[in-house]
Amino acid sequence: MQRASVVFRASGAAASRFSATNVFCARLGVRNASSIRVVTNSKRPDAAADTPDSPSTPTAVKYVENKFSDSKYTSSKPADKPAFDSDTAANGDLASALFNPAEGYLQGSHWSTSFQGMAAEPFESRISDVLMAPITESEIEIKPDGLLYLPEIKYRRILNRAFGPGGWGLVPRGAHSVSGRTLSREYALICLGRFTSQARGEQDYFDDGGLATATEGCKSNALVRCCKDLGVASELWDPAFISQFKAKYCAEEWVTHAVRGSKKRMWRLKTRQWEYPWAKK
């Protein structure tokens, strides 16, 4: 096969931004970085045609010249101007940074889209035993609405015991999205270099000042959901276990709000007492 030759025509200061050629190799499907060369305005035969206002335009990639005979490999469409302004993020606009399509996940890395290693073979028995070990009942918590859960830090400790710190990780599979006051993002769980699971995490927030905390909650929620595929704390999705645990360790009671005076039926562990502003009267 004939080797591709890709030319980036860059203008002014924009030319310096193409030093990381590997990123563009991955995005254009070119495997060899040596086939890319950057050409500035001063070396272009039509440099005089540029206007004084254009040297710093973000649409620096003017065209891609590919020497494959098939025309489908050739594109003359200028690059779109990014919707995200890095200067805005640098000035502290976190809301803008969160919804940058390139924020956080690895463009040019196959883990943004790959399912490599999925269902290739079971993990060794030692790892499986750690992941699917019976849950310790004393670590289970219950929400006021009766939902049983395991704190997300427990999931991280189980993964660390199974794969070792650094042997697993969450990879974002896209940018954050928002619906009403709910922030969400897709993540993939990679263990020992293998795709194991994918889930969308979500977290409610009330104002832009809580976005940073919401992003962490979103990531933790995705981690818990991904761990279901590994059998971690699977009892918490078993109706029979849930009923038995509630009957043995939990209580549902009418409680009164100390300020509003409203009453509500809520759940608690029998080993815990109601905390302000809720009290049993």
Side-chain angles (χ1 to χ4, degrees):
M1 179 182 290
Q2 187 177 5
R3 183 170 131 186
S5 175
V6 181
V7 179
F8 289 130
R9 299 246 180 223
S11 55
S16 63
R17 293 201 292 268
F18 295 105
S19 59
T21 56
N22 288 335
V23 175
F24 290 92
C25 283
R27 294 182 65 181
L28 294 171
V30 178
R31 295 180 180 275
N32 192 343
S34 63
S35 64
I36 291 185
R37 49 196 173 90
V38 178
V39 182
T40 61
N41 279 340
S42 60
K43 296 181 181 180
R44 287 177 51 189
D46 57 342
D50 285 337
T51 62
D53 297 333
S54 64
S56 60
T57 178
T59 56
V61 180
K62 298 301 182 183
Y63 62 87
V64 174
E65 176 187 74
N66 194 309
K67 294 187 178 179
F68 283 104
S69 58
D70 193 338
S71 60
K72 72 179 180 180
Y73 293 104
T74 305
S75 173
S76 58
K77 182 180 178 181
D80 296 331
K81 181 177 180 179
F84 170 69
D85 185 356
S86 59
D87 293 335
T88 302
N91 292 332
D93 189 347
L94 179 59
S96 297
L98 286 176
F99 304 108
N100 167 24
E103 184 268 327
Y105 65 100
L106 305 175
Q107 290 195 2
S109 168
H110 70 291
W111 283 128
S112 334
T113 56
S114 175
F115 295 88
Q116 177 181 328
M118 180 179 181
E121 60 178 337
F123 288 114
E124 61 181 84
S125 58
R126 182 199 65 82
I127 293 176
S128 298
D129 290 344
V130 172
L131 295 174
M132 297 190 295
I135 192 170
T136 303
E137 293 183 343
S138 61
E139 295 181 341
I140 299 176
E141 302 285 346
I142 188 169
K143 293 185 177 182
D145 61 1
L147 179 66
L148 300 183
Y149 71 99
L150 195 66
E152 62 86 18
I153 191 60
K154 307 288 186 180
Y155 290 88
R156 295 179 185 273
R157 290 173 181 170
I158 292 171
L159 291 175
N160 281 335
R161 288 199 302 269
F163 303 108
W168 64 276
L170 279 177
V171 179
R173 307 279 268 195
H176 289 91
S177 61
V178 65
S179 176
R181 283 296 180 180
T182 301
L183 187 72
S184 69
R185 194 178 198 184
E186 198 86 16
Y187 287 88
L189 177 62
I190 311 300
C191 301
L192 300 181
R194 294 169 49 186
F195 174 95
T196 56
S197 183
Q198 180 169 324
R200 177 168 289 273
E202 59 184 349
Q203 177 66 45
D204 294 336
Y205 70 101
F206 301 100
D207 55 62
D208 289 350
L211 278 173
T213 302
T215 60
E216 284 298 303
C218 180
K219 181 180 178 181
S220 296
N221 183 239
L223 175 65
V224 171
R225 292 176 173 179
C226 284
C227 282
K228 284 194 295 184
D229 288 347
L230 293 175
V232 178
S234 60
E235 296 94 331
L236 298 180
W237 284 268
D238 183 341
F241 176 87
I242 293 172
S243 297
Q244 293 171 9
F245 182 89
K246 284 185 173 181
K248 186 176 181 180
Y249 297 107
C250 305
E252 185 182 22
E253 300 173 329
W254 281 102
V255 290
T256 303
H257 194 280
V259 177
R260 298 192 298 265
S262 57
K263 293 186 177 183
K264 188 176 182 180
R265 285 188 68 86
M266 296 170 63
W267 288 88
R268 66 174 176 86
L269 292 173
K270 292 179 179 178
T271 56
R272 306 278 179 83
Q273 299 299 319
W274 294 109
E275 296 182 357
Y276 184 86
W278 297 101
K280 183 180 178 180
K281 295 184 179 180

